[in-house]
Structures are given as C-alpha cells and as structure tokens.
Amino acid sequence: MEHVLVTYSLECAEKGHVDPNFTQLVYGNSSKNGDIIKKHISIGSYIFFNANIAQSRFITAYFQVEKILVKGQQDSEINALNCDAKTDEVVVIGDRNHSKILTSPLLFDRTLIGKLTSYHADDAYFSKKTIDGRSELEAIKDKTLNPKIITESEKELLIELCMNRG
C-alpha cells in the first residue's frame, strides 16, 4: 500500500481557503497533484500533512483514507460537502478513528526528512543546497513542493513519531 506526504499553506487557510479541512477530515486536490492521489492512494492509505509554521516545517496531521471521491464519478457526494475541497477533482475523506490532528506538531527537519529515504535528502543533498546558498528550510521546501509517495515503513515511522502528540 502506498501513502503520501503533502504540503499545504496556512496562508491560504488564513485567507479563507481551508483545504485540508481538519475539522471535517477532508482534503482535495486537482491537476498533477490530484493525479498523484488518484493513481497512488486507496482506501486505507495514509496522507500526512506538513506546513511552514514560524520559519520551520512541521507535520501537523494525518488521515487514514476512508473514502475517495472523484469529479465526474461521485459528483452528488462532492457537491454535498460543506468545505473548500469540493472544488477539486479528487477529494479524500479521512477515517475519524484512524486520523489525527497533532496538537503538538512534529518538526519536519533535516533529520526527519533524512529518515524518509523516498525523499533522497541525504547529507550530500543538504551540502549542495548550502553551497547554492539555500537554507535548510528552503532545501526541505524544494523536496516537499509536490506530494511525495512514501513507503509502508516510512508511514509506520511517522505514525510512531506522531504518537502522544494530540
């Protein structure tokens, strides 16, 4: 089973576009990012969410996928949603019993991204970014701009690290 780690913008939420919606456990996406969800995510997969908060990157929540809705296939269910994700091509609904919003977000730094080998963010990667004048935060942002498929063992590591965080 495949899982994904996605970046979202707190700034968009502050401006009124709340997606992901952690209250309703709903996340939507379109275009190439929506295609990644459609091709790689299935019922039971996990989606981890990360955002830039106060000049650091954090994992703030995760959903275990309960339902996937696709425009053109489940339009009536999508239109019935009361959230911003309903404008997207693919909408994921999280399972209430196996999803978590972290009250103490998990720092997503060089050490953690290095443990997620799917990112290929080893010391050589960070050294090159430093030579290019990029900060650690910018280097992590470069790796997390697009949703990233992660392995089962990486999912298990993140679940374990998120325990006791809310």
Side-chain angles (χ1 to χ4, degrees), residues 21 47 92 95 132 146:
N21 184 313
I47 300 178
V92 174
D95 180 308
D132 293 342
N146 296 308

Side-chain angles (χ1 to χ4, degrees), residues 5-6 8 20 22 27 47-51 58-63:
L5 199 146
V6 300
Y8 70 98
F22 295 127
Y27 168 69
I47 300 178
F48 293 86
F49 299 95
N50 78 91
F58 291 90
I59 294 176
T60 59
Y62 63 84
F63 297 171

